[in-house]
Amino acid sequence: MPDATYDVIIVGAGVVGAHIARQLSRYRLRTLLLDKAADVGDGTTKANTAIVHAGYDARPGSKKALFNVAGNAMFDQVCAELDVEFDRCGTYVVATSETDLATLQDLASRGRANGVTGLELISGEEMRRREPGLTEAATGALYAPTGGIVDPFALCFAAAENAVSNGVELALNTTVSRLLLEGNRVVGVDTNRGMFRSRWTIIAAGLHADDLMRTAGLEGLVIRPRKGEYFVLDRAARSQLRNVLFPCPTPVSKGIMVTPTIHGNILLGPTANDVDDKEDLGTTAAGLNETLTGALKLIPGLDPRLMIRSFTGLRATGSTGDFEISTPAERPGLLVLAGIESPGLTASPAIALHVVDMLREAGLTLQERPEYVPTRKGIPRFSLMTTAEQEALIAQDARYGRVVCRCETVTEGEVVAACHSPIPARTYDALKRRTRIGTGRCQGGFDLPLVLEIMAREYNVSPLEITQKGGASALVFRRTKEVGL
Amino acid sequence: MKSISCDVLVVGSGPAGLAAALEARQTGAQEVLLLERNDELGGILQQCIHTGFGLREFGQDLSGPEYAWRWIDQVHDAGLQVLSETMVLSVDATRRVVATSKALGMIEILPRALVLAMGCRERPRGALAIPGTRPAGVYTAGTAQRLVNIDGYMPGNRFVILGSGDIGMIMARRLTLEGAEVAAVCEILPYLSGLRRNLVQCIRDYDIPLHLCTTVTEVRGQDRVTSVVVSGVDADRRPLPGTEREIPCDTLLLSVGLVPENELTRMAGASMDAVTGGPRVNEGYATDIPGIFAAGNVVHVYDLVDDVSQAARIAGRSAARYACSTQAPTGPTVRLVAGENVRAVVPQLVHPAALEQESIALHMRVRTPIEAPVNLDLRLGERTLLSRRFRYVRPAEMLTLTLPQRLAGELAGATELSVHVRT
């Protein structure tokens, strides 16, 4: 393939694509990471339960089980290298009936078969001691000490930033319309910004994996979006919950859970409803009601008045029931990742390592770059610092002394830093995921005008050009005193 | 870290903070320090360019910035110390305040008395859990007001406004004057949330459709709002199936209530009133943490700024007295309890000893409107001590009942007073 521009093109900059890009950036390769959205991690990565699963759910021998347990084991190191918040706080599955107790036994033995360590069955009484607000109906619980919670946005953009700092090219707002074929061989992609040719093309496109495969004549696999609706509660609710709690799982889902988030909120959800539309990110009254009812079954005292946001995520549920990770023999040059639904977030670092091995075995020459830097430092987080650290930071740059988001205590300095990070936060949502701005109880009401002004200044554009999430999502339309409409 | 001590520290320079700081100085506090997180004083008044301010305080119909400047000028003339672009990060029960300031960096302030005057914030979409997509174009009315009036940008061209709060109605007019179209104002309740005068001057005068017993049940649009679905609601405010109607628009404004901003108050450990969302205060607007006072919308949400200034004066005066002599009213207190058709009463506690010195104004709101003459009764047990007649009562309009000094004797020994509204 002498005319290939890139060695590898990765379609999709979600958490899976980002980790693959990072692993590939260790080697002397020209890699392009593409995404149709205005920021990395804008699909399933941004709307999930943010749990690092222990690995007792998946069927032993499945890829889900294999990569879940392997990925879980990598989190301490990966999050330390990438400066991502992660808490291996342990997780619980709560039984509320005799049947549930049998399910816990099954989960425990499945977990042990999968290689999950430390699993422990505890009594309902002990569980209520650990979680005082727990339902009286609790009959027992499965404790998984290796489970945890993570910042899923950061896990993705940190890996992508690290990849970019190590030479990977990133093209956002780039929609792949089809795979390019020469004979049987996949030789790149066609996009809204032209064609890009490569020796290898990796589909890490979440919900759209099957659509892309179909453009290369690969039928069979179908991705069906499975909708999950969530509620976020204010930090003020944090005292109402101590632990990550799952109900007993059903055949379609792990059930509606209640969990603290790494940022100190409480997350309730998700529902599980198959839908047809891959863009159907709307919440519904019924779904939100189901979420709340489910959560109250576990913690009856949760205060619904502390809701600050609801959202929907779409799981990329594949028709095979397992992760599909393969190099289809009939389409050389193509590596497919599909059906990476839960525990995809947990599995992502391990999947990335495996993808590198697959490429090596398939003949891609991987020569280490001695200049590869595995670590990445995030922007300063004023609210997490000690007073002395805050003082030092303001002394360095007075903009860290100006708070622009009062609920989450985010400073102008952090906004500016996010505008100049390796993957600049070009949209309000990107900035939100980098800095936590607008994620508190006022949901951006206070900061938005200030942020528009700062972003416009830093990027030297008009506030009219700043969008919430790219495309036609402009935040303001025109100057006052101008005739519009 | 730089450490500052002062007699009275006031957090927030909106109408409450300005009045409290000025009054503290006039009561005799020498070192009064006023903190503001924004770059200029005045708080939200600066974006309220409509009139309706100052009728009682100054006998004139002023705009928000004019009203603010009347106070700011006095604050400057009185030589009060002011720190803008300064945000308080923490407060504890010993009144140790830690703040971050663009000019001074991290500072510690140790005041002899502290007045909390942070105001209130608007309820966002998330608090209502409106179903649908999450496009750009959903703003609170106050955010839109800031964008239009301070920054000079239009957040949309065709609006639906949910909630008939005052800011929402005022923005309906403002946006219309800027050439935008307000397709509808929807209110879930069977009556208005804001003041009647705003209905007349901002909605009816501009032929803007107002729909009562109606709410937004879905937001549509991927990148930007393309429409909202509105539905009628039943008596329990539940959407009525079959009444859904789609209204094309590019922006949804929310004017669905204000919440007192009390993170710092809670941090200091003050007891809170679950109904008002503010701290429980006595007649001097003192919280139950010694030396910590509360002024304006942090106590409960007012509808008129003149009332904010007046109540904040009391807080400033009490703070100055506490700072200068560590004096606080002593002796037993009487609890004030909301009775029939009363949502909450402020202050929540009264010292009979303080009533001997001066009269005490009680503020309250009714739960449901009554468009007929009613009595507001103050009762000790079954006995009515005081009664005031109103031509009508509406939740949007705060009621005031002033306890005259002559009742001080009656209150001695009492533990609880209640207020009731009935026809």
mmCIF file of all heavy atoms in Angstrom, chain A residues 78-97:
data_model
loop_
_atom_site.group_PDB
_atom_site.id
_atom_site.type_symbol
_atom_site.label_atom_id
_atom_site.label_comp_id
_atom_site.label_asym_id
_atom_site.label_seq_id
_atom_site.Cartn_x
_atom_site.Cartn_y
_atom_site.Cartn_z
ATOM 1 N N VAL A 78 -3.537 3.088 34.703
ATOM 2 C CA VAL A 78 -3.979 3.951 33.598
ATOM 3 C C VAL A 78 -4.430 5.308 34.136
ATOM 4 O O VAL A 78 -4.048 6.357 33.611
ATOM 5 C CB VAL A 78 -5.116 3.262 32.801
ATOM 6 C CG1 VAL A 78 -5.820 4.257 31.885
ATOM 7 C CG2 VAL A 78 -4.567 2.099 31.999
ATOM 8 N N CYS A 79 -5.219 5.286 35.210
ATOM 9 C CA CYS A 79 -5.740 6.553 35.732
ATOM 10 C C CYS A 79 -4.628 7.383 36.367
ATOM 11 O O CYS A 79 -4.669 8.611 36.313
ATOM 12 C CB CYS A 79 -6.886 6.301 36.708
ATOM 13 S SG CYS A 79 -8.344 5.650 35.855
ATOM 14 N N ALA A 80 -3.640 6.720 36.943
ATOM 15 C CA ALA A 80 -2.508 7.465 37.493
ATOM 16 C C ALA A 80 -1.707 8.097 36.361
ATOM 17 O O ALA A 80 -1.339 9.272 36.427
ATOM 18 C CB ALA A 80 -1.623 6.545 38.325
ATOM 19 N N GLU A 81 -1.467 7.327 35.299
ATOM 20 C CA GLU A 81 -0.691 7.869 34.175
ATOM 21 C C GLU A 81 -1.416 9.028 33.498
ATOM 22 O O GLU A 81 -0.803 9.992 33.058
ATOM 23 C CB GLU A 81 -0.447 6.765 33.128
ATOM 24 C CG GLU A 81 0.613 5.771 33.551
ATOM 25 C CD GLU A 81 0.787 4.631 32.535
ATOM 26 O OE1 GLU A 81 -0.082 4.457 31.645
ATOM 27 O OE2 GLU A 81 1.777 3.918 32.661
ATOM 28 N N LEU A 82 -2.763 8.909 33.434
ATOM 29 C CA LEU A 82 -3.522 9.901 32.660
ATOM 30 C C LEU A 82 -4.118 11.000 33.528
ATOM 31 O O LEU A 82 -4.809 11.876 33.014
ATOM 32 C CB LEU A 82 -4.641 9.198 31.879
ATOM 33 C CG LEU A 82 -4.185 8.248 30.774
ATOM 34 C CD1 LEU A 82 -5.382 7.560 30.129
ATOM 35 C CD2 LEU A 82 -3.372 8.993 29.710
ATOM 36 N N ASP A 83 -3.870 10.968 34.832
ATOM 37 C CA ASP A 83 -4.401 12.002 35.726
ATOM 38 C C ASP A 83 -5.928 12.051 35.652
ATOM 39 O O ASP A 83 -6.536 13.090 35.410
ATOM 40 C CB ASP A 83 -3.790 13.376 35.360
ATOM 41 C CG ASP A 83 -4.066 14.433 36.431
ATOM 42 O OD1 ASP A 83 -4.463 14.051 37.547
ATOM 43 O OD2 ASP A 83 -3.883 15.630 36.127
ATOM 44 N N VAL A 84 -6.530 10.869 35.845
ATOM 45 C CA VAL A 84 -7.985 10.734 35.786
ATOM 46 C C VAL A 84 -8.475 10.302 37.166
ATOM 47 O O VAL A 84 -7.870 9.427 37.785
ATOM 48 C CB VAL A 84 -8.393 9.678 34.728
ATOM 49 C CG1 VAL A 84 -9.876 9.342 34.831
ATOM 50 C CG2 VAL A 84 -8.041 10.177 33.334
ATOM 51 N N GLU A 85 -9.560 10.931 37.617
ATOM 52 C CA GLU A 85 -10.089 10.572 38.933
ATOM 53 C C GLU A 85 -10.720 9.179 38.899
ATOM 54 O O GLU A 85 -11.568 8.887 38.041
ATOM 55 C CB GLU A 85 -11.151 11.587 39.365
ATOM 56 C CG GLU A 85 -10.561 12.920 39.767
ATOM 57 C CD GLU A 85 -11.665 13.910 40.091
ATOM 58 O OE1 GLU A 85 -12.103 13.938 41.256
ATOM 59 O OE2 GLU A 85 -12.083 14.621 39.179
ATOM 60 N N PHE A 86 -10.314 8.339 39.834
ATOM 61 C CA PHE A 86 -10.791 6.957 39.920
ATOM 62 C C PHE A 86 -10.792 6.558 41.376
ATOM 63 O O PHE A 86 -9.874 6.890 42.122
ATOM 64 C CB PHE A 86 -9.848 6.049 39.106
ATOM 65 C CG PHE A 86 -10.016 4.574 39.379
ATOM 66 C CD1 PHE A 86 -11.251 3.959 39.228
ATOM 67 C CD2 PHE A 86 -8.933 3.806 39.801
ATOM 68 C CE1 PHE A 86 -11.396 2.594 39.479
ATOM 69 C CE2 PHE A 86 -9.076 2.443 40.046
ATOM 70 C CZ PHE A 86 -10.305 1.834 39.892
ATOM 71 N N ASP A 87 -11.838 5.883 41.795
ATOM 72 C CA ASP A 87 -11.924 5.431 43.186
ATOM 73 C C ASP A 87 -12.319 3.956 43.190
ATOM 74 O O ASP A 87 -13.439 3.610 42.795
ATOM 75 C CB ASP A 87 -12.975 6.278 43.935
ATOM 76 C CG ASP A 87 -13.086 5.890 45.407
ATOM 77 O OD1 ASP A 87 -12.305 5.028 45.874
ATOM 78 O OD2 ASP A 87 -13.965 6.462 46.088
ATOM 79 N N ARG A 88 -11.392 3.110 43.622
ATOM 80 C CA ARG A 88 -11.704 1.682 43.701
ATOM 81 C C ARG A 88 -12.425 1.451 45.040
ATOM 82 O O ARG A 88 -11.866 0.920 45.996
ATOM 83 C CB ARG A 88 -10.416 0.858 43.597
ATOM 84 C CG ARG A 88 -10.663 -0.590 43.218
ATOM 85 C CD ARG A 88 -9.372 -1.371 43.101
ATOM 86 N NE ARG A 88 -8.602 -1.186 41.882
ATOM 87 C CZ ARG A 88 -8.916 -1.710 40.696
ATOM 88 N NH1 ARG A 88 -9.998 -2.440 40.553
ATOM 89 N NH2 ARG A 88 -8.150 -1.487 39.655
ATOM 90 N N CYS A 89 -13.665 1.906 45.065
ATOM 91 C CA CYS A 89 -14.417 1.931 46.320
ATOM 92 C C CYS A 89 -15.166 0.633 46.583
ATOM 93 O O CYS A 89 -15.745 0.446 47.646
ATOM 94 C CB CYS A 89 -15.408 3.101 46.274
ATOM 95 S SG CYS A 89 -16.432 3.077 44.790
ATOM 96 N N GLY A 90 -15.162 -0.291 45.608
ATOM 97 C CA GLY A 90 -15.945 -1.512 45.770
ATOM 98 C C GLY A 90 -17.383 -1.280 45.333
ATOM 99 O O GLY A 90 -17.858 -0.145 45.308
ATOM 100 N N THR A 91 -18.062 -2.367 44.941
ATOM 101 C CA THR A 91 -19.469 -2.249 44.528
ATOM 102 C C THR A 91 -20.274 -3.375 45.174
ATOM 103 O O THR A 91 -19.704 -4.401 45.589
ATOM 104 C CB THR A 91 -19.615 -2.346 42.994
ATOM 105 O OG1 THR A 91 -19.102 -3.614 42.561
ATOM 106 C CG2 THR A 91 -18.860 -1.231 42.298
ATOM 107 N N TYR A 92 -21.571 -3.168 45.255
ATOM 108 C CA TYR A 92 -22.454 -4.156 45.875
ATOM 109 C C TYR A 92 -23.605 -4.499 44.945
ATOM 110 O O TYR A 92 -24.140 -3.622 44.268
ATOM 111 C CB TYR A 92 -23.058 -3.595 47.165
ATOM 112 C CG TYR A 92 -22.043 -3.380 48.268
ATOM 113 C CD1 TYR A 92 -21.338 -2.179 48.349
ATOM 114 C CD2 TYR A 92 -21.796 -4.373 49.210
ATOM 115 C CE1 TYR A 92 -20.409 -1.968 49.357
ATOM 116 C CE2 TYR A 92 -20.871 -4.169 50.227
ATOM 117 C CZ TYR A 92 -20.174 -2.963 50.286
ATOM 118 O OH TYR A 92 -19.253 -2.780 51.288
ATOM 119 N N VAL A 93 -23.989 -5.771 44.946
ATOM 120 C CA VAL A 93 -25.256 -6.157 44.331
ATOM 121 C C VAL A 93 -26.172 -6.535 45.492
ATOM 122 O O VAL A 93 -25.814 -7.381 46.328
ATOM 123 C CB VAL A 93 -25.104 -7.370 43.388
ATOM 124 C CG1 VAL A 93 -26.443 -7.673 42.711
ATOM 125 C CG2 VAL A 93 -24.031 -7.123 42.366
ATOM 126 N N VAL A 94 -27.329 -5.899 45.559
ATOM 127 C CA VAL A 94 -28.209 -6.085 46.714
ATOM 128 C C VAL A 94 -29.355 -7.026 46.362
ATOM 129 O O VAL A 94 -30.052 -6.828 45.362
ATOM 130 C CB VAL A 94 -28.760 -4.722 47.177
ATOM 131 C CG1 VAL A 94 -29.728 -4.904 48.340
ATOM 132 C CG2 VAL A 94 -27.621 -3.789 47.572
ATOM 133 N N ALA A 95 -29.550 -8.036 47.191
ATOM 134 C CA ALA A 95 -30.671 -8.959 47.029
ATOM 135 C C ALA A 95 -31.825 -8.498 47.892
ATOM 136 O O ALA A 95 -31.618 -8.012 48.999
ATOM 137 C CB ALA A 95 -30.243 -10.365 47.440
ATOM 138 N N THR A 96 -33.038 -8.629 47.356
ATOM 139 C CA THR A 96 -34.193 -8.239 48.162
ATOM 140 C C THR A 96 -35.216 -9.371 48.251
ATOM 141 O O THR A 96 -36.352 -9.160 48.642
ATOM 142 C CB THR A 96 -34.881 -6.977 47.580
ATOM 143 O OG1 THR A 96 -35.083 -7.173 46.193
ATOM 144 C CG2 THR A 96 -34.038 -5.730 47.804
ATOM 145 N N SER A 97 -34.806 -10.585 47.855
ATOM 146 C CA SER A 97 -35.728 -11.730 47.973
ATOM 147 C C SER A 97 -34.883 -12.999 48.051
ATOM 148 O O SER A 97 -33.667 -12.974 47.884
ATOM 149 C CB SER A 97 -36.646 -11.794 46.754
ATOM 150 O OG SER A 97 -35.860 -12.124 45.607
#
